[in-house]
Amino acid sequence: MFKITEKNYKRIIQFFKERSFACNALKLCYRFLPLLLFIGYPALIVYVFFSNPVDLFKIILVPLGVFLLVTVLRKVINEQRPYEKYSTPSLFGKTTKGQSMPSRHTASAFIISLAVLYVNAPLGIAALSVSFLITLSRVLSGVHFIRDVVAAMLLSVTVGIIFFFLI
């Protein structure tokens, strides 16, 4: 699996610190895009409530289940974050200790995107694109290792495919 070494991690952080435009673009992805998806999710719930109430419990319970599973896994696995492991400040001042694996932002973004995809394919594809940007921002900002976001993505995609498209 891909791995960011300490040298590469510090190089990435330095790249963004030296380039304010790139840092601001990354900060926008890091802070705004999760908000966009997580505000859109209640809108999806309302839409499904009025358009196809049979799917309402699925749209609520599957993402909730993934969120709870990831929350428990993070506490059990309790992996260090890059800024902890390499004793370097994170790009945007995050100081949380441990609980890096799997990334809850990534898992939540992908399972919500798959819920959107289940309801509306074009919007779902757009949401998945946003999820990839969120995932990338988590790694580039130094709060997660690649393994953290890949594990979260795989978990959400697997659960999403099973519960939204197979069952």
Side-chain angles (χ1 to χ4, degrees):
M1 189 169 283
F2 299 107
K3 185 177 180 182
I4 296 180
T5 64
E6 180 175 0
K7 181 180 175 183
N8 289 339
Y9 167 72
K10 288 181 179 179
R11 217 184 276 160
I12 290 168
I13 298 300
Q14 194 60 38
F15 172 87
F16 285 103
K17 283 184 177 180
E18 292 172 354
R19 292 162 182 84
S20 64
F21 179 79
C23 188
N24 288 334
L26 180 60
K27 187 183 258 186
L28 181 71
C29 289
Y30 179 85
R31 294 218 168 109
F32 175 71
L33 292 180
L35 213 58
L36 181 69
L37 271 186
F38 303 138
I39 288 172
Y41 180 56
L44 175 69
I45 291 170
V46 170
Y47 174 78
V48 170
F49 177 78
F50 287 110
S51 67
N52 191 7
V54 173
D55 287 333
L56 187 61
F57 286 113
K58 184 184 285 194
I59 295 297
I60 293 172
L61 294 178
V62 174
L64 177 62
V66 167
F67 181 83
L68 294 174
L69 177 62
V70 168
T71 299
V72 169
L73 286 173
R74 288 160 53 99
K75 290 187 183 298
V76 170
I77 297 169
N78 200 28
E79 286 288 329
Q80 285 185 315
R81 294 170 179 272
Y83 57 80
E84 284 180 275
K85 185 172 182 176
Y86 302 139
S87 300
T88 306
S90 68
L91 194 56
F92 302 126
K94 187 164 179 83
T95 59
T96 305
K97 301 289 186 199
Q99 299 185 29
S100 183
M101 164 80 132
S103 165
R104 194 165 40 205
H105 276 85
T106 298
S108 297
F110 272 93
I111 198 63
I112 289 170
S113 295
L114 286 163
V116 174
L117 185 67
Y118 176 72
V119 172
N120 181 296
L123 283 178
I125 291 167
L128 285 168
S129 299
V130 169
S131 295
F132 278 109
L133 291 174
I134 290 169
T135 298
L136 187 60
S137 76
R138 308 310 289 174
V139 173
L140 292 177
S141 63
V143 298
H144 286 289
F145 288 105
I146 293 171
R147 62 152 201 249
D148 304 338
V149 297
V150 169
M153 186 174 24
L154 289 174
L155 186 137
S156 287
V157 168
T158 302
V159 170
I161 288 172
I162 291 169
F163 287 97
F164 289 131
F165 300 103
L166 297 179
I167 293 180

